[in-house]
Amino acid sequence: MTTTSNKSKAEGFRRIQHVFTQHIRDPENNPAPEGIEDRRIGVYRELVYNNIEGFIANSFPVLRKITPDEQWHEMLRDYVCNHQAHTPLFPRMPLEFIQYLEDERHGHPEDPGFLLELAAYEWAEIAISLDTREIEMDGIDVEGDLLSGVPALNPLIMPQTYQYPVHQISPDYLPDSPPEDPTYLLVYRRRDDEVGFLELNTVSARLVECIQGNSDKTGLQLLERIAEELKHPDPQVVINGGQEIMREMHDKDILLGVIS
């Protein structure tokens, strides 16, 4: 009898929990548990929504700034009501929000075409800052020649290609359609933990790609390969430009030096 009674109480408690959480997530379509004063449960409704909304707004400051209040809160309400998160960790919530934008809100008529790309760009800065890896300098010659040596790439980088120039989007610049050429951006974390981004062109984006998959070619050999791919009439122009790019990347800790 006691076992049956305890099981019944546990099931009853789970039902109340389910009703409670459904109401907290979507109060317009799910009534509150019976017997609870609305003023009291209203505290929980506001607390849950305000915490999530504030965290998302702080994680995506540009997206929040360019989105009108009514549209923003409609979107966040929809996220809270309908998105099934797969992690309880607050630092992972921005990624959950991006998944919501991509899988559940994709193509919403009120949203600008760059919304998902802008959110992904802002998330990249968060992801790099939260990465727990340390930049190891063992086996790297910081002062080594980047042309004659094998360039050593910082592991804490995120090169991305965007249809829109997401790093320029602001209340004063809201493009209706993507430009003809894509935007190449590299988000990185320096050895002093400062996070930054670098806009790349076609050559520098290809150079980063080549260095990522390289363990034995010198910087000069990589640039010669790129010049050949471009079928440039004067390969030395590509090499000189690439050398300047590598120096800039070295100054920003994107390139750490050469493998010693």
Side-chain angles (χ1 to χ4, degrees):
M1 177 71 70
T2 302
T3 301
T4 302
S5 176
N6 289 342
K7 183 178 180 180
S8 177
K9 288 180 180 179
E11 290 176 350
F13 181 65
R14 282 195 292 270
R15 283 196 297 270
I16 293 174
Q17 280 186 314
H18 178 74
V19 172
F20 177 82
T21 55
Q22 289 296 100
H23 175 72
I24 293 298
R25 288 168 65 102
D26 187 5
E28 291 190 7
N29 296 303
N30 295 283
E34 295 181 0
I36 300 180
E37 185 182 355
D38 185 69
R39 179 182 62 84
R40 293 181 180 276
I41 201 168
V43 173
Y44 291 97
R45 286 196 302 262
E46 293 181 10
L47 184 64
V48 169
Y49 176 76
N50 289 342
N51 278 346
I52 294 175
E53 186 277 329
F55 191 84
I56 296 296
N58 289 332
S59 300
F60 302 95
V62 178
L63 180 59
R64 177 63 188 100
K65 188 178 296 184
I66 66 168
T67 306
D69 287 349
E70 183 176 353
Q71 183 179 344
W72 173 260
H73 288 290
E74 180 275 325
M75 179 166 60
L76 264 293
R77 273 293 176 194
D78 186 57
Y79 169 73
V80 173
C81 291
N82 298 308
H83 181 70
Q84 296 296 318
H86 297 285
T87 174
L89 303 176
F90 259 66
R92 301 291 294 175
M93 191 183 296
L95 186 57
E96 291 282 352
F97 185 67
I98 288 177
Q99 291 174 342
Y100 157 77
L101 295 178
E102 185 172 15
D103 299 336
E104 298 156 48
R105 196 178 172 86
H106 181 70
H108 194 282
E110 292 186 4
D111 295 340
F114 57 74
L115 184 142
L116 179 59
E117 285 197 341
L118 174 60
Y121 170 62
E122 295 199 88
W123 160 248
E125 296 185 76
I126 298 171
I128 283 290
S129 66
L130 293 177
D131 196 310
T132 57
R133 289 177 295 170
E134 298 292 334
I135 298 175
E136 299 292 340
M137 299 302 294
D138 293 343
I140 295 176
D141 180 1
V142 177
E143 302 300 330
D145 185 88
L146 297 169
L147 280 184
S148 61
V150 178
L153 193 64
N154 184 341
L156 300 181
I157 64 168
M158 292 181 67
Q160 300 288 337
T161 303
Y162 302 96
Q163 288 183 298
Y164 290 86
V166 289
H167 59 306
Q168 297 176 357
I169 289 175
S170 71
D172 297 324
Y173 177 61
L174 302 172
D176 294 325
S177 59
E180 182 177 343
D181 297 324
T183 295
Y184 303 102
L185 296 176
L186 186 145
V187 179
Y188 61 92
R189 196 173 85 201
R190 297 171 57 99
R191 284 187 287 169
D192 61 5
D193 291 331
E194 181 182 348
V195 175
F197 78 90
L198 179 66
E199 183 174 4
L200 307 176
N201 57 29
T202 304
V203 174
S204 55
R206 177 60 178 142
L207 178 59
V208 170
E209 183 181 16
C210 289
I211 296 175
Q212 281 184 305
N214 177 62
S215 60
D216 58 353
K217 298 290 190 299
T218 67
L220 178 59
Q221 289 172 320
L222 296 177
L223 291 172
E224 287 174 337
R225 178 200 298 176
I226 293 172
E228 184 178 349
E229 291 174 352
L230 295 173
K231 295 181 172 54
H232 198 283
D234 187 354
Q236 193 60 44
V237 172
V238 176
I239 293 169
N240 292 342
Q243 186 177 22
E244 288 301 315
I245 291 169
M246 287 197 292
R247 285 172 179 163
E248 181 181 8
M249 289 182 177
H250 187 257
D251 289 341
K252 296 179 182 296
D253 287 344
I254 297 169
L255 288 180
L256 302 176
V258 299
I259 298 174
S260 59

